[in-house]
Amino acid sequence: MPSSTPSGSDADVVDLLVLGGGMAGLSAAARAVALGSRVLLVERAPQLGGSALHAGYLWTGVTAEAMHALNPDGDPALTAAVVDGFPAALALLDDLGVPYGPPVTVLRHGTGHQFDTASFVDAGRRRVAAAGEIVTGARTDRLLTGPDGEVTGADVTLADGTHREVRAAATVLATGGFQADPGLRAELVHPEAERIELRSNPSSRGDGLRLAREAGGRVVNRGGGFYGHLVPAGVRLDPDLFVELALYYSEHAVLFNLKGERFVDETVGDHLTTMALLDQPEARGLLVTDARGYREWGVGAYVEGGPATDKFALARRRGGRCVVAESAGDFAEMPPEWGYAGDVVAGELTRIAAGDVPEGPGRRFDPRPLDEPPYYVIEVTPAITFPFAGIEVDASGRVLGAGGAPVAGLYAAGSDIGGLYVRAYAGGLAPAVVFGIAAAEHTARRMT
């Protein structure tokens, strides 16, 4: 349980305590400093940035209607807040002097801008350090509470083992989600999620979720999915390959489970196909495209301005199970130890190559026949970047507790929040910035 705030004069006193130094935490801290707040930012890892260092686009639905098309079951208040807050997110980049590219289309209904997240992290760090304080390598042990249950700060253990009691008018949880904790993944994402690959920083272990629960905050969207991508099975995901090994081109391919069946419309997007694969036996499958798919999408950039990588060649070099099949019939001769019903795969791929209506789900956005052999095959598995379950918040980022009432003094932002997306996705960096800003501005208004 949170501890009561002790009386004493030796505690640190700030306006805003930010727990987490990724995109959300830095956005909250930088905006709060600009508004004149005294800020302390505490980060568990030795360095700032979190998983944002492996991303590169600030994007969301261009309108509320587009956002609904991308994410029909998401919390309407939160999705509206992201769309309405997107200009302020860009304004923060401008304020920090972080350049960004022209608008590009993302996932058909979205729009966004490429930018250097490392530059954002560095600019945010300099802004906060100049007017506040940043502590890295520190663990938050518990939140402090007042007589009415309001959150009044936290107890923090520094890297050298010493303790600090920090009293704050408001505290923001921005610890990056719980994707690095297999037990929480199994509890809140999917029973089989305990075993999937981690495509994220290893420090996001659910600290914010734990602290919010102890303070009376609610967790929402259990089983609501996650953001991630298909990756080659059996290949170690080093952070510098998070983007290069993500098989975005799967929307121009077909995916088979162990029974040789298609089970999802692959063309809706790799991020959705990834969630669908987790529901399949052993959460692994065969991703197959033809020579045209490989040539036009397998070696190119997924989004305009992104890196162009031969993903098949990279997966093969890294030890993935990758083969080139000269014909659809070759799949009937798959090695038994692979565990797939190769004859079923061969039959279905033959149908698709002939332009016949495929078995199972349609291929809405790319119905072309895969009729140009050879076929490029990678065994794939899901990898998680962040979950969609998390702390319940309102449009200002206030943590909500029993009966939907705010937990006074407590906010959450970024991947710590839940309910924004439900088995859908419309950008991760934009919500982090938007809710980070919202928390900082709401806190500043409370103090005026």
Side-chain angles (χ1 to χ4, degrees), residues 150-174:
E150 71 275 18
V151 173
T152 58
D155 279 337
V156 176
T157 299
L158 305 182
D160 63 3
T162 60
H163 297 274
R164 286 177 67 173
E165 173 199 308
V166 182
R167 287 186 282 177
T171 299
V172 178
L173 303 173

Side-chain angles (χ1 to χ4, degrees), residues 30-262:
R31 181 61 180 143
V33 164
L35 293 170
S37 298
R38 296 167 296 171
V39 175
L40 171 62
L41 187 152
V42 177
E43 166 59 42
R44 177 170 185 158
Q47 68 286 322
L48 302 179
S51 297
L53 294 174
H54 311 296
Y57 287 85
L58 190 76
W59 76 276
T60 190
V62 65
T63 63
E65 293 75 19
M67 186 66 145
H68 180 73
L70 284 163
N71 178 38
D73 297 318
D75 184 312
L78 300 186
T79 56
V82 174
V83 173
D84 294 344
F86 191 72
L90 290 176
L92 180 61
L93 267 64
D94 290 330
D95 183 46
L96 292 174
V98 178
Y100 49 89
V104 296
T105 300
V106 185
L107 294 182
R108 292 179 294 274
H109 300 290
T111 188
H113 305 264
Q114 185 181 29
F115 73 110
D116 184 354
T117 54
S119 295
F120 179 92
V121 170
D122 185 57
R125 177 191 58 78
R126 286 185 281 108
R127 169 70 61 84
V128 177
E133 183 183 3
I134 297 173
V135 175
T136 58
R139 181 184 72 247
T140 301
D141 298 314
R142 62 188 61 83
L143 296 177
L144 306 175
T145 59
D148 296 319
E150 71 275 18
V151 173
T152 58
D155 279 337
V156 176
T157 299
L158 305 182
D160 63 3
T162 60
H163 297 274
R164 286 177 67 173
E165 173 199 308
V166 182
R167 287 186 282 177
T171 299
V172 178
L173 303 173
T175 65
F178 59 81
Q179 61 273 6
D181 186 301
L184 286 174
R185 294 200 306 261
E187 175 193 349
L188 298 172
V189 177
H190 190 285
E192 297 301 315
E194 184 175 12
R195 301 184 293 108
I196 64 176
E197 297 291 332
L198 179 65
R199 184 180 175 269
S200 164
N201 78 84
S203 297
S204 293
R205 306 171 193 167
D207 289 352
L209 191 80
R210 170 180 59 83
L211 293 167
R213 278 174 158 172
E214 292 173 352
R218 299 195 302 195
V219 176
V220 294
N221 206 19
R222 182 190 301 265
F226 63 97
Y227 171 61
H229 286 288
L230 297 177
V231 297
V235 175
R236 179 179 176 182
L237 284 184
D238 295 325
D240 59 346
L241 294 176
F242 283 169
V243 174
E244 284 78 3
L245 279 175
L247 302 175
Y248 307 113
Y249 75 89
S250 72
E251 61 191 72
H252 304 289
V254 289
L255 182 64
F256 299 98
N257 63 17
L258 292 176
K259 297 178 181 179
E261 301 166 337
R262 289 182 56 248

Side-chain angles (χ1 to χ4, degrees), residues 310-405:
D310 186 333
K311 294 181 180 294
F312 181 86
L314 178 59
R316 175 179 271 178
R317 288 198 305 271
R318 290 280 169 161
R321 186 175 270 176
C322 308
V323 296
V324 178
E326 295 302 323
S327 70
D330 286 354
F331 286 84
E333 306 300 324
M334 288 180 62
E337 60 268 22
W338 283 37
Y340 293 88
D343 55 339
V344 181
V345 174
E348 178 61 6
L349 197 56
T350 298
R351 287 172 54 88
I352 294 172
D356 294 339
V357 177
E359 296 286 344
R363 298 173 61 232
R364 175 183 176 190
F365 296 106
D366 185 5
R368 70 178 185 87
L370 301 183
D371 58 358
E372 188 181 329
Y375 294 97
Y376 292 79
V377 185
I378 303 178
E379 185 175 44
V380 297
T381 191
I384 185 171
T385 302
F386 66 87
F388 297 154
I391 304 162
E392 186 176 19
V393 298
D394 66 10
S396 296
R398 295 183 297 176
V399 172
L400 303 181

